[in-house]
């Protein structure tokens, strides 16, 4: 089956520090997405990023599709950034999710 | 914009009974709908993919006999969890994709509790 490795599993930061989340995939697929999972469970799409680098506020996503990896960088972290971040590789109509990174930002 | 709704948001059923959940796409035509489950303390698993005018494709460990899916038009899909047991509890998401969109749009999920 499809394998998605996401790291780290958990991360604790002090407010203001930067975070780097990694996602690797075992086979070639066509795109990837990063999500934030709300405490209630619903997903917020952060980036749809087939390749290259995309920015959104303090968030940056970089995908190198031929190397089957993607990263999510959070700069100047805030306590409100705390939660679970999921990467997912896309095979056109379906997504294969990583196991998530639980981020805790302490004041 | 493209939105996906799911009903109900939460449901409780007794062990051995069945429960139906619905997914509605608004603002776009959902040519494919994928159903996922997140069991407690786990990540999302793909259950099945339904594409209009194609047979529904189930992932390993999930079957039509247990999770029958209906996708009658480009705005609606439903999935039933038959004979639910404890291992079926979790958050069920539908992700819909349209012709003019590269990414999937997700509903808020249906959280199933089995007593």
């Amino acid at each position: 089956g499809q394998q998605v490795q996401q790291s780290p599993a958990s991360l604790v930061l002090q407010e203001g520090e930067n975070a780097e989340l990694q996602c690797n995939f075992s086979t070639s697929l066509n795109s990837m997405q990063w999500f934030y999972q709300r405490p209630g469970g619903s997903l917020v799409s952060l980036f749809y990023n087939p390749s290259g680098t995309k920015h959104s506020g303090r968030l940056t996503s970089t995908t190198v599709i031929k190397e089957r990896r993607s990263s999510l960088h959070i700069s100047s972290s805030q306590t409100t950034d705390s939660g679970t971040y999921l990467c997912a590789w896309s095979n056109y109509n379906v997504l294969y999710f990583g196991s998530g990174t639980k981020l805790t930002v302490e004041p | 914009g493209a939105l996906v709704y799911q009903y109900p948001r939460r449901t409780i059923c007794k062990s051995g009974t069945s429960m139906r959940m619905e997914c509605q796409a608004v603002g776009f035509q959902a040519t494919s709908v994928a159903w996922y489950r997140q069991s407690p303390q786990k990540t999302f698993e793909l259950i099945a993919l339904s594409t209009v005018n194609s047979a529904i494709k189930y992932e390993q460990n999930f079957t039509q006999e247990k999770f029958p899916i209906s996708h009658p038009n480009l705005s609606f899909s439903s999935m039933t969890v038959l004979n639910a047991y404890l291992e079926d509890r979790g958050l069920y998401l539908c992700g819909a994709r349209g012709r003019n969109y590269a990414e999937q749009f997700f509903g808020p999920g249906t959280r199933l509790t089995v007593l």
Side-chain angles (χ1 to χ4, degrees):
Chain A
Q2 312 293 348
Q3 296 284 336
V4 184
Q5 292 87 36
Q6 192 170 346
S7 61
S10 62
L11 183 61
V12 180
L13 299 175
Q14 294 296 313
E15 197 167 24
E17 292 182 323
N18 299 332
E20 186 88 6
L21 282 55
Q22 302 289 341
C23 187
N24 294 277
F25 201 86
S26 60
T27 62
S28 296
L29 291 179
N30 77 312
S31 188
M32 68 85 54
Q33 284 183 253
W34 283 95
F35 297 92
Y36 171 77
Q37 186 171 25
R38 294 191 179 106
S42 61
L43 297 179
V44 177
S45 179
L46 300 175
F47 291 102
Y48 173 79
N49 188 4
S51 66
T53 298
K54 291 191 174 183
H55 303 278
S56 177
R58 292 181 295 106
L59 304 180
T60 300
S61 168
T62 299
T63 296
V64 184
I65 200 84
K66 62 181 179 181
E67 295 181 10
R68 303 171 191 168
R69 60 178 176 86
S70 182
S71 64
L72 177 68
H73 183 84
I74 305 173
S75 63
S76 304
S77 62
Q78 301 174 359
T79 56
T80 50
D81 295 330
S82 296
T84 299
Y85 292 80
L86 293 163
C87 69
W89 284 96
S90 167
N91 187 9
Y92 294 104
N93 293 321
V94 298
L95 296 179
Y96 297 95
F97 287 84
S99 53
T101 294
K102 184 175 181 182
L103 175 65
T104 304
V105 182
E106 296 177 340
Chain B
L3 294 172
V4 177
Y5 294 99
Q6 284 187 253
Y7 313 97
R9 295 293 304 275
R10 293 178 174 271
T11 187
I12 301 172
C13 67
K14 290 184 177 180
S15 182
T17 64
S18 300
M19 184 273 151
R20 180 170 177 261
M21 54 190 77
E22 300 180 348
C23 175
Q24 183 176 14
V26 176
F28 70 107
Q29 294 183 323
T31 52
S32 70
V33 175
W35 287 90
Y36 303 83
R37 179 176 73 190
Q38 184 181 41
S39 301
Q41 308 306 318
K42 292 187 177 179
T43 192
F44 288 95
E45 297 177 274
L46 175 65
I47 297 171
L49 170 67
S50 172
T51 305
V52 173
N53 298 325
S54 296
I56 298 172
K57 184 180 177 185
Y58 286 83
E59 289 290 290
Q60 195 174 10
N61 300 325
F62 297 97
T63 65
Q64 182 180 5
E65 290 71 31
K66 173 72 174 178
F67 300 96
I69 289 170
S70 172
H71 189 182
N73 55 54
L74 293 174
S75 63
F76 182 82
S77 177
S78 66
M79 184 177 74
T80 301
V81 181
L82 293 175
N83 201 18
Y85 286 101
L86 270 180
E87 58 264 28
D88 295 318
R89 61 197 169 120
L91 180 68
Y92 289 79
L93 287 190
C94 73
R97 184 171 174 265
R99 283 194 193 91
N100 298 322
Y101 296 93
E103 64 183 293
Q104 279 192 18
F105 297 101
F106 284 89
T110 294
R111 187 168 295 280
L112 173 63
T113 300
V114 181
L115 300 177

